[in-house]
Amino acid sequence: MEAALMQPGSGDRGGRAPIWCKVVTIQFAILALLGGLLVRPGPAFAVLEINITEGVVEPVPIALPQFVDGSGNLGDTARQVIDVINANLLRTGLFDPVDPAAYIERIENIDVAPQFDDWRKINAQALVTGRVTLQGDGRLRTEFRLWDVFASQQMTGQQFVTDTSNWRRVAHVISDAIYERLTGEKGYFDTQIVFVEETGPKDARVKRLAIMDQDSANMRYLTNGSDLVLTPRFSPSNQEIAYMSYGDGFQPRVYLLNIQTGERGIVGDFPGMTFSPRFSPDGQRIIMSLQTGGNTNIYTMDLRSRMTTRLTNTAAIDTSPSFSPDGSEVTFESDRGGVQQIYVMGADGSNQRRISFGTGRYGTPVWSPRGDLIAFTKVASGRFLIGVMRPDGSGERILTEGFHNEGPTWSPNGRVLMFFRDVPGADGGPQIWSVDLTGRNERQVSTPSFASDPAWSPLIN
Amino acid sequence: MSYGFGPGRVFRALFVSIAFLVVAACSGSGDNLDNAQTRAVPGTPQHFVVTVGDRVFFQTDSTSLTNASKATLDKQAQWLTQYSDFQILVEGHADERGTREYNLALGARRATSTRNYLVSRGIPANRIRTISFGKERPVAVCDDISCWSQNRRAVTVLEGQTGT
């Protein structure tokens, strides 16, 4: 049987670098054999499919029985893996996990087809079965199958072999496979969030960079709080973070931090404050703002040649630049017309044009990884809103609004946004929230204390 | 308070305590202010804060200096001319009712307009550096306009004396 291998990580410091986490998913070799066992051959294509574009009204009932313990001593892992999958799918708002108390069949062998009638009776439309086994070499093998209950058909099946400590990542990878097979969209579970963790009173906040899995697990700090740090962003490879730090206290600057080695350095030698960094889609350049005197303009710096290029040249505030996913264009905010508005320009600074024309101020534009939308913070009538519009400025849609919502970041599949929400008052502080592109399914993202400036990593697997 | 360095850090700690006295004086009898003035040794940072005032305030999303601000900066320039040993850091700040990146740029603009005014009043440009804290360092943390207006400020910080 072919196995998909995940190499063990380089200890706790390790980020989720593709170097060691590259996962090649391979269909079960026994899939073909299993087809012969099916009682009722299904149609050529499974009928179970979730359309997430329109916003799902009814979540799909899915049965997620505990994985089979293939070794007799992996009961905890078998339970934990399905718990993580369950929580992932539940948070999407697209799935409705069936109460395990209603299960009729007890899954004891995943190599045979389940009793579909038993699952149809409890109205589970999808069923996931799986098994964890400790191999002779001490590694953990995790297998799963996704079944279309009403078509009596396997939709997908994969297995992963990895270090036992990676069980949580396996659960995320399986969640992604289930999500992708049922929605037709890439998942976003094997991802991380980098953010600014905030402690202390409002007038003397200590801010530290922190990184965690998208489900809030495995949080750890990347900086120690001695320097004020803001606006962390992932590199496309997930290996580096660009952020702004007050560092030596002389002038705040953009820094790069290698997640695995902890190595950090200043990006470029500029005569003023540099801030609001983001990577280009190819990871070769940083785009950021440089303030000189009262003006702020947008520059790129090539990380290899260190060559800098000026993209805007105004006596205004031009900031929050974000590349389109194909790298050909940049969206940014500028107050060159009097108030903060969103603009788009070519990646060489050409053809600068305003795209936001609604009432209020628009800032922090972020291009969707799909390229079809730009998310933004809008300030209108003293309220702070998160919304999206098309890159030509049409189709503005507000996803959430309130006293203070700011700084959207996209899930890698462009279906979910995280942002931070602050509350008024001396004791208040920001928290990270997520909302679907449909405007539904608003949820707080759990962090140990106050948290702001979230940035969602690309998909790791 | 960890972003000053050298002697500035000590001075800033002093400023905080003095600033509290000034605030108390505004709402109270004025005794504290008198006491503070009595204690402030001429030519010291405390003296600057108490007799001149170390900060000016701005309207929402504005970097224009009001007449009141200009009057304060005129006094600052006089004091800084008299005590010409001090290096000067002008901090620009914004209130919490803006987005983070924009407020960093807005704070820089406020610091710059304050610096430029001091230069126009005879302070050598090479004595003054600026820094923006955006909305990161509010002094007032309530949730209404009275607080936000105190946070939209430029603060003139005496960093240290040349030759000492």
Side-chain angles (χ1 to χ4, degrees), chain A residues 373-395:
Chain A
L373 293 168
I374 290 169
F376 54 81
T377 306
K378 179 176 182 173
V379 184
S381 306
R383 311 278 281 175
F384 280 60
L385 306 74
I386 302 293
V388 294
M389 63 174 64
R390 285 193 281 273
D392 65 0
S394 66

Side-chain angles (χ1 to χ4, degrees), chain A residues 207 228 246 403 406 453, chain B residues 3 97 100 132 135-136:
Chain A
K207 294 195 170 190
L228 176 58
Y246 279 64
F403 172 75
E406 184 181 339
D453 290 6
Chain B
Y3 303 105
R97 304 307 287 156
R100 192 174 317 287
S132 172
K135 60 177 173 178
E136 304 306 315

Side-chain angles (χ1 to χ4, degrees), chain A residues 92 176 179 186-191 214 411-413 416 456 459:
Chain A
T92 66
D176 282 329
Y179 180 96
K186 282 282 188 188
Y188 53 85
F189 303 111
D190 189 23
T191 58
Q214 54 79 27
S411 65
N413 71 355
V416 184
W456 210 318
L459 200 58

Side-chain angles (χ1 to χ4, degrees), chain A residues 295-297 310 312-318 334 336 352:
Chain A
N295 300 332
T296 292
N297 282 286
R310 180 176 188 149
T312 70
N313 189 353
T314 58
I317 292 172
D318 292 348
S334 176
R336 61 182 68 178
Q352 298 180 17

Side-chain angles (χ1 to χ4, degrees), chain A residues 214-238:
Chain A
Q214 54 79 27
D215 64 350
S216 300
N218 295 322
M219 199 213 78
R220 66 190 176 89
Y221 295 108
L222 299 174
T223 64
N224 63 13
S226 62
D227 299 330
L228 176 58
V229 290
L230 301 170
T231 62
R233 319 284 189 211
F234 277 101
S235 70
S237 68
N238 284 314

Side-chain angles (χ1 to χ4, degrees), chain A residues 203 207 228 230 233 246 250 275-276 293-294 296 317 333 335 340 382 384 403-404 406 420 424-426 453, chain B residues 2-3 5 96-102 104-106 108-109 112 129-133 135-138 141 143:
Chain A
D203 54 358
K207 294 195 170 190
L228 176 58
L230 301 170
R233 319 284 189 211
Y246 279 64
F250 187 74
F275 62 107
S276 194
T296 292
I317 292 172
E333 60 169 84
D335 71 347
Q340 260 179 301
F384 280 60
F403 172 75
H404 197 112
E406 184 181 339
F420 71 92
D453 290 6
Chain B
S2 59
Y3 303 105
F5 54 93
E96 68 191 81
R97 304 307 287 156
T99 49
R100 192 174 317 287
E101 295 90 337
Y102 182 79
L104 286 168
L106 184 62
R109 229 187 224 169
T112 300
R129 68 182 188 96
T130 61
I131 192 169
S132 172
F133 284 98
K135 60 177 173 178
E136 304 306 315
R137 288 290 177 263
V141 294
D143 61 346

Side-chain angles (χ1 to χ4, degrees), chain B residues 84-154:
Chain B
S84 58
D85 284 351
F86 286 100
Q87 291 296 114
I88 302 150
L89 171 65
V90 177
E91 294 178 354
H93 298 268
D95 68 28
E96 68 191 81
R97 304 307 287 156
T99 49
R100 192 174 317 287
E101 295 90 337
Y102 182 79
N103 277 3
L104 286 168
L106 184 62
R109 229 187 224 169
R110 287 174 173 159
T112 300
S113 66
T114 301
R115 172 187 178 278
N116 289 349
Y117 190 86
L118 290 173
V119 170
S120 79
R121 287 297 179 271
I123 308 301
N126 63 10
R127 274 182 75 190
I128 311 174
R129 68 182 188 96
T130 61
I131 192 169
S132 172
F133 284 98
K135 60 177 173 178
E136 304 306 315
R137 288 290 177 263
V139 286
V141 294
C142 68
D143 61 346
D144 61 31
I145 291 162
S146 68
C147 276
W148 301 334
S149 59
Q150 292 177 62
N151 292 331
R152 293 189 298 267
R153 68 198 193 278

